[in-house]
Amino acid sequence: MSTQLFSVAFGVGTQNRQGAWLEVFYAQPLLNPAAELVAKAADKLGYNGGNQAIAFTTSQAGELAEALKGVDAVQAKLLTRLAESHQPLVATFLAEDAAPASTPEAYLKLHLLSHRLVKPHGVNLAGIFPLLPNVAWTSQGAVDLAELAERQLEARLKGELLEVFSVDKFPKMTDYVVPAGVRIADTARVRLGAYIGEGTTVMHEGFVNFNAGTAGPGMIEGRVSAGVFVGKGSDLGGGCSTMGTLSGGGNIVISVGEGCLIGANAGIGIPLGDRNTVESGLYITAGTKVALLDDQGQLVKVLKARELAGQPDLLFRRNSQSGAVECKSHKSAIELNEALHAHN
């Protein structure tokens, strides 16, 4: 058995009454863990290779904590805490970055993103949706929907209120990790699996989906859809939208370059290059007809927006008299044609 793994994590989670996992919390997930740590964990927990999620007991947690004291003090301390758990424990070993095959594996992949150990599109999430049960996220944690009514009654009989915050496959990120150096005005609007770079502010109407995020610093007052990554120094204005793979973008990976501004109520369905600006209220899809203007404001050609994908230093605007969508560049007509030819 190889001790060179892609990832390993020791977690505590929630199961329904049939013993199926609803969610898992990994306080300290590891990427490319040390071989000695993997070897000791394999010995104590019976790991024999491949991608596995192994349930373990509090006594096993204590034994592994002792074994790791001279190897990894942080993981040893974590396992000492896990040995006190009243909730089920699980160790998830990922020998390779393959598509997740269980709920604990799926949750580990989401944790790796939100802990900033991998960036969006940096981990295999194929087939993740069936592995994430749709649960009630409540004031008492995750509750199986089939058990919710009974749990609500039990709470009421005790004079308590079981508050349901959402019914969803994804929990909010901040119930699992709060990355350093960020501001999130409404934590319910950032899902676990989001990558929020240092210096990012997500305002009340901002939203960041899983497998998406920001390099930071930046201001997010709009929607960062699944699969979209926003470069450093870029701002998304209030009510603006980025078209992700789940919202019509297909296989095109939408991204926002560095130093960009997407105005309020605007939107993009193409990748933006660095230092692009999209005027407020203007939604650009891949097939939008755009009048390309040079540095003198002269028409170079009319083309589809997808042909401008990734090009730097562009201003997208709508002509207030004609209604035509225009793209202004600081480059001359010759430079623009050369850039477009190279891009194609």
Side-chain angles (χ1 to χ4, degrees):
M1 180 196 73
S2 173
T3 54
Q4 297 299 317
L5 268 60
F6 172 70
S7 179
V8 68
F10 308 105
V12 54
T14 307
Q15 295 176 331
N16 65 13
R17 289 172 180 170
Q18 285 70 49
W21 289 103
L22 300 180
E23 57 85 43
V24 182
F25 171 73
Y26 300 104
Q28 299 284 344
L30 295 172
L31 188 68
N32 303 317
E36 189 177 359
L37 181 148
V38 174
K40 289 187 179 296
D43 177 61
K44 296 295 182 181
L45 303 181
Y47 170 66
N48 55 13
N51 289 5
Q52 292 187 52
I54 302 173
F56 65 101
T57 64
T58 53
S59 61
Q60 286 176 304
E63 292 171 7
L64 184 53
E66 286 296 320
L68 291 181
K69 281 186 176 178
V71 177
D72 188 319
V74 173
Q75 294 297 316
K77 182 177 179 181
L78 169 63
L79 283 155
T80 299
R81 298 297 305 277
L82 292 180
E84 305 168 359
S85 177
H86 296 287
Q87 290 291 105
L89 305 176
V90 63
T92 301
F93 299 84
L94 299 180
E96 58 180 347
D97 181 24
S102 66
T103 298
E105 287 183 33
Y107 266 83
L108 176 50
K109 295 287 185 79
L110 296 177
H111 277 72
L112 291 176
L113 283 157
S114 290
H115 277 271
R116 300 179 186 154
L117 295 174
V118 297
K119 289 185 176 179
H121 303 287
V123 68
N124 189 340
L125 299 176
I128 194 172
F129 284 100
L131 302 174
L132 299 174
N134 194 30
V135 303
W137 301 99
T138 79
S139 51
Q140 295 181 12
V143 176
D144 189 303
L145 291 177
E147 301 169 5
L148 179 60
E150 185 178 347
R151 290 282 297 273
Q152 288 175 315
L153 176 59
E154 288 175 357
R156 291 284 182 166
L157 294 175
K158 296 175 183 177
E160 301 171 354
L161 172 64
L162 178 64
E163 186 174 359
V164 179
F165 301 116
S166 69
V167 178
D168 196 6
K169 287 179 172 291
F170 292 83
K172 59 184 181 181
M173 181 190 73
T174 54
D175 283 348
Y176 294 79
V177 55
V178 178
V182 304
R183 294 168 54 204
I184 302 173
D186 183 349
T187 56
R189 299 184 66 85
V190 180
R191 277 174 149 184
L192 181 64
Y195 180 110
I196 309 297
E198 188 166 1
T200 298
T201 294
V202 183
M203 292 300 290
H204 296 79
E205 294 305 315
F207 173 80
V208 187
N209 212 334
F210 81 104
N211 199 31
T214 64
M219 173 70 70
I220 305 300
E221 297 182 89
R223 179 182 180 87
V224 182
S225 298
V228 177
F229 192 67
V230 179
K232 66 180 181 180
S234 291
D235 291 351
L236 272 62
C240 79
S241 177
T242 55
M243 188 182 292
T245 53
L246 301 180
S247 56
N251 292 324
I252 300 173
V253 177
I254 306 300
S255 59
V256 178
E258 298 182 1
C260 291
L261 171 62
I262 303 178
N265 298 319
I268 59 167
I270 62 169
L272 291 186
D274 295 340
R275 299 174 301 280
N276 277 205
T277 298
V278 181
E279 180 185 71
S280 294
L282 176 60
Y283 204 117
I284 303 166
T285 63
T288 300
K289 293 292 184 67
V290 179
L292 180 60
L293 309 179
D294 66 11
D295 58 344
Q296 300 300 311
Q298 298 300 307
L299 178 66
V300 176
K301 64 173 65 175
V302 176
L303 70 178
K304 291 184 177 179
R306 65 168 59 93
E307 298 178 64
L308 298 169
Q311 295 290 331
D313 302 297
L314 300 178
L315 166 63
F316 293 90
R317 68 190 187 192
R318 189 179 294 279
N319 188 298
S320 60
Q321 293 182 308
S322 68
V325 177
E326 299 175 340
C327 179
K328 182 78 163 55
S329 172
H330 74 290
K331 295 181 179 179
S332 68
I334 294 175
E335 290 174 320
L336 281 173
N337 278 311
E338 289 176 346
L340 290 172
H341 179 73
H343 180 67
N344 291 335

